[in-house]
Amino acid sequence: MISNEIKQKLIQIVGPENYDDSKAGRLAYSYDATPQFQSLPDAVIAPRNTKEVSEIVKICNEYRIPIVPRGSGTNLCAGTCPIEGGIVLIFKHMNKILEIDEENLTVTVQPGVITLDLIQAVEEKGLFYPPDPSSMKISTIGGNINENSGGLRGLKYGVTRDYVMGLEVVLANGDIIRTGGKLAKDVAGYDLTRLFVGSEGTLGIITEATLKLIPMPETKKTMLALYEDLEAAARSVSAIIANKIIPATLEFLDQPTLEVVEAYAQIGLPTDVKAVLLIEQDGPKEVVERDMKKMEQICREQQAISVQVARSEEEANALRTARRSALSALARLKPTTILEDATVPRSEIAKMVKAINEIAQKYNVKICTFGHAGDGNLHPTCPTDARDRDELERVEKAFEEIFAKAIELGGTITGEHGVGVMKAPYLEWKLGAEGIAAMKAIKQALDPNNIMNPGKVFAKSTRKRVVVTR
């Protein structure tokens, strides 16, 4: 609990209008997009600038009050669920694009900027910010950086960390540091920028970011390949990459996902096939034409029963939007939707898809699979009902086996969703005890009082979903 004395100190910093400890206010920030994790914070605070963030952190560090920095709460690992109470920091006031630098091809933003707003703002100047998580209409840049978000364009263009050039960060003691900058080259000291990207708010609070931009691609084409054999679709992914073609997008949807997405989006997606690949290429017109022709040939050689090129940008955009809506569509099936992101090397996609289906049958659960097949990042998704304890236990066991299989195939427990609370019990499977110890040493050095998003990344015991009230 936060004493009245501490409350008054915090209100002096941000003003009473930016301090909320009402039951309704706390309830609104007690959960994120992760099913079945909920815990009330003691207060929700909206700082207006970096100085205020620093002053808040100094008080929290002095009195050992947990701090959870939060974007829009779209993460799927319970990364912003305040499981140890304390303060949730929201950045509704720190939501400005500070500068678009066309000479250095950078954009400098505050953490509360909505991802899609940033993308559209730079595109108006003929520039391109590629990271495009499915939640980009509502997710924030600060959240993207904390989770190192991916997206549909990750295969060709990389993920969030590949575009973060510099950061302003408030450390756990309230110190403000700047890392990196607008430099193409900079090897002065440790790469602290990369350290904070993907650290899930456990090392510091990001208050400003300088991001890399690139020129807009000249042209783009979109294609849909249909398959009667799910594994043939997966083999096509490996074959395309093996032919030294790197498409901008290479997405996979299985039949159960197709049926649900079509019912939701109603754009004429085929639902009588076992799987589809959504493929896009961008760049110079002649390169796009050549690559699309070659990829069509590869898909047909791998038993695609149909390959269709979108006839217009409107049609192509409808296909992209339908893919991005997969989670929303699947969430309509049952009261609880558990979406994971097991990731394997691209060459192992076919084996992983087959294993997911076999595991679903073994535990008698429905698993719909879609994802960024081109970079090996699959999203097995299970519609279930948290009130059915027997089924939920089978779902948990199924996902444990899926994670184990991903690691066996040289993969990881999470490609883009983060560790948070959800994946913490499995992190040692991937990193080993020595890797966990190295990470804990960094955490202890930067946050000795463990106030920065405590309870995340490092597992306390076995995996369980928590509902806590205060």
Side-chain angles (χ1 to χ4, degrees), residues 116-338:
L116 184 59
D117 291 347
L118 167 64
I119 290 170
Q120 291 174 338
V122 300
E123 284 185 356
E124 286 177 7
K125 295 182 178 293
L127 297 171
F128 189 37
Y129 179 72
D132 60 337
S134 293
S135 59
M136 64 183 185
K137 287 184 178 180
I138 52 173
S139 67
T140 66
I141 292 297
N144 291 175
I145 293 171
N146 275 334
E147 297 292 346
N148 189 21
S149 301
L152 274 64
R153 298 190 285 236
L155 169 60
K156 182 173 184 177
Y157 290 105
V159 295
T160 299
R161 84 167 159 245
D162 300 305
Y163 295 86
V164 180
M165 298 179 70
L167 294 171
E168 180 183 74
V169 181
V170 176
L171 300 179
N173 63 0
D175 286 353
I176 302 168
I177 65 167
R178 283 189 171 270
T179 74
K182 297 182 180 182
L183 303 168
K185 295 180 179 179
D186 182 1
V187 294
Y190 295 148
D191 191 344
L192 295 177
T193 305
R194 287 243 172 171
L195 177 64
F196 286 104
V197 176
S199 64
E200 303 187 26
T202 63
L203 301 179
I205 297 169
I206 293 163
T207 53
E208 188 180 297
T210 299
L211 308 172
K212 178 175 74 174
L213 304 174
I214 59 176
M216 276 285 287
E218 182 184 316
T219 188
K220 177 165 59 179
K221 281 203 167 184
T222 305
M223 181 166 71
L224 204 63
L226 316 184
Y227 294 84
E228 289 288 4
D229 179 2
L230 194 140
E231 290 181 48
R235 288 195 301 270
S236 297
V237 173
S238 298
I240 288 169
I241 305 301
N243 274 270
K244 300 178 177 59
I245 301 172
I246 306 296
T249 297
L250 183 45
E251 297 288 305
F252 169 90
L253 296 90
D254 68 4
Q255 188 174 28
T257 308
L258 280 169
E259 290 171 349
V260 177
V261 169
E262 172 55 23
Y264 178 80
Q266 297 183 356
I267 63 166
L269 283 172
T271 57
D272 57 347
V273 294
K274 295 297 182 186
V276 305
L277 292 180
L278 173 64
I279 306 170
E280 283 192 324
Q281 184 59 299
D282 60 13
K285 186 175 181 180
E286 60 276 14
V287 173
V288 172
E289 294 285 353
R290 182 195 68 204
D291 286 353
M292 293 296 279
K293 192 172 182 180
K294 181 63 176 175
M295 287 190 288
E296 178 178 352
Q297 178 188 332
I298 291 168
C299 291
R300 293 190 186 280
E301 288 171 356
Q302 296 293 333
Q303 284 81 55
I305 59 169
S306 171
V307 182
Q308 307 160 3
V309 177
R311 290 163 295 192
S312 65
E313 175 54 27
E314 289 74 24
E315 187 177 325
N317 192 51
L319 291 171
R320 288 191 292 271
T321 301
R323 161 58 188 90
R324 293 186 198 281
S325 71
L327 175 56
S328 300
L330 288 165
R332 304 196 310 166
L333 293 182
K334 283 196 172 184
T336 308
T337 306
I338 299 176

